[in-house]
């Protein structure tokens, strides 16, 4: 579903007012922010018409994508800019592509709930020793098999990836950063969901402040082309591509979207 251009612009104006007035804005991001990028990312989503799960359910093959060449999208760069201007307090992402980090968003400002495919860690070191790479560290890893084949230069123990697969429970403090995600959700008065089907996030009730009475829960704004399980609870649903909406939002806020410098 796509809103008509004038309707989308009107909704972007309403969203801009919510961003300006928010005391504690948290953004939740899904694969839809990385699918078609103004700055170069072209990563398949999961549940869209040409998404990974959609194609697999239809018995069709999916092509491999070299994510190491992907660059942050207009949406990634906009989010980093909003955080820099203190309009966004925290970002909770389901994505493993590392593009939030490349956009310049500080590590402390992001919770990567399903890991980061460019980070491997030594869990034998205290605190855990991190290795941030320019290549995908998950080439040899899979469900319940997390050793990457490389060793820690400090203690010699095997390094492991940070990915949380379906059916697993993530325990690493970084880059999952669940503590910060939970704290941000508890403080949020506005939540903006960008490019997520919310079918996975709905399993995390603490991120929706479900223990609070409905009148005290944060106002919810959703940007997605498809239906989500939270649509009925949203203060506003914008049917549009994330880059299109963020371009309108940033214009309404009078902020220039920074370009990515590889």
């Amino acid at each position: 579903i796509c809103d008509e251009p004038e309707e989308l612009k009107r909704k972007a104006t309403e969203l801009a007012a919510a961003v300006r007035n928010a005391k504690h804005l948290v953004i939740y991001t899904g694969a839809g922010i990385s699918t078609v990028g103004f700055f170069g990312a072209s990563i398949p989503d999961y549940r869209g018409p040409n998404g990974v799960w959609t194609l697999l359910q239809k018995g069709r093959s999916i092509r491999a994508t070299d994510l190491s060449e992907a660059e942050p999208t207009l949406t990634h760069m906009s989010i980093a800019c909003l955080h820099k201007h203190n309009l966004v307090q925290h970002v909770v992402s389901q994505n493993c592509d590392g593009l939030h980090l490349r956009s310049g968003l500080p590590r402390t400002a992001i919770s990567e709930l399903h890991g980061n495919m460019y980070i491997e860690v030594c869990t034998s070191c205290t605190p855990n020793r991190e290795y941030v790479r320019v290549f995908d560290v998950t080439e040899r890893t899979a469900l319940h098999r997390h050793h990457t084949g490389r060793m820690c230069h400090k203690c010699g123990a095997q390094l492991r990836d940070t990915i949380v697969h379906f059916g697993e429970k993530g325990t690493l403090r970084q880059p999952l950063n669940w503590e910060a995600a939970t704290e941000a959700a508890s403080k949020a008065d506005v939540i903006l969901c960008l490019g997520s089907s919310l079918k996975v996030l709905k399993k995390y009730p603490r991120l929706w402040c479900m223990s609070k009475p409905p009148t005290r829960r944060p106002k919810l704004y959703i940007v997605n082309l498809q239906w989500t399980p939270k649509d009925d609870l949203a203060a506003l649903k914008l049917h549009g591509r994330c880059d299109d909406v963020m371009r309108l939002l940033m214009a309404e806020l009078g902020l220039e979207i920074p370009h990515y410098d590889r």
Side-chain angles (χ1 to χ4, degrees), residues 30-45 63 65-77 95 97-100 102-103 118 241 243 260 262:
I33 75 165
S34 299
T35 49
V36 181
F38 185 77
F39 293 113
S42 183
I43 299 172
D45 63 12
R63 64 179 178 85
T65 303
D66 183 3
L67 299 185
S68 65
E69 294 300 314
E71 296 185 354
T73 63
L74 182 147
T75 297
H76 289 101
M77 300 306 294
N95 300 338
D97 55 31
L99 293 179
H100 278 302
R102 294 188 196 188
S103 74
Y118 298 99
R241 297 188 183 281
D243 278 7
Y260 174 64
R262 190 173 184 88

Side-chain angles (χ1 to χ4, degrees), residues 68 113 117 147 161 243 246:
S68 65
L113 300 184
M117 59 197 293
H147 288 141
D161 70 11
D243 278 7
M246 294 305 286

Side-chain angles (χ1 to χ4, degrees), residues 47-191:
R47 303 178 197 278
N50 295 305
V52 172
W53 305 138
T54 307
L55 294 179
L56 288 175
Q57 286 173 346
K58 292 179 179 178
R60 291 164 61 185
S61 61
I62 56 172
R63 64 179 178 85
T65 303
D66 183 3
L67 299 185
S68 65
E69 294 300 314
E71 296 185 354
T73 63
L74 182 147
T75 297
H76 289 101
M77 300 306 294
S78 297
I79 292 171
C81 180
L82 290 172
H83 178 266
K84 184 178 179 181
H85 285 84
N86 297 315
L87 291 169
V88 169
Q89 275 61 55
H90 199 74
V91 177
V92 178
S93 181
Q94 302 169 73
N95 300 338
C96 306
D97 55 31
L99 293 179
H100 278 302
L101 208 54
R102 294 188 196 188
S103 74
L105 193 67
R107 291 291 300 279
T108 53
I110 181 172
S111 297
E112 295 175 291
L113 300 184
H114 298 151
N116 185 316
M117 59 197 293
Y118 298 99
I119 297 175
E120 53 189 343
V121 298
C122 174
T123 53
S124 295
C125 286
T126 305
N128 290 353
R129 188 174 300 276
E130 284 189 0
Y131 295 81
V132 181
R133 309 296 197 186
V134 294
F135 55 85
D136 180 0
V137 306
T138 67
E139 187 178 26
R140 301 179 185 178
T141 66
L143 178 68
H144 303 310
R145 295 206 320 271
H146 292 281
H147 288 141
T148 63
R150 285 172 290 277
M151 305 296 178
C152 175
H153 79 273
K154 185 71 175 178
C155 73
Q158 291 194 68
L159 298 180
R160 58 154 293 170
D161 70 11
T162 64
I163 303 301
V164 181
H165 295 276
F166 288 118
E168 293 181 337
K169 186 173 183 178
T171 56
L172 292 172
R173 193 161 198 172
Q174 282 288 356
L176 313 186
N177 204 3
W178 261 103
E179 189 177 327
T182 304
E183 183 182 357
S186 69
K187 293 179 179 177
D189 59 338
V190 175
I191 292 175

Side-chain angles (χ1 to χ4, degrees), residues 11-22 190 221 249 252-253:
K11 288 182 176 180
T13 302
E14 186 176 336
L15 176 60
V19 170
R20 281 194 207 95
N21 296 327
V190 175
Y221 293 80
L249 174 64
E252 286 285 341
L253 294 172

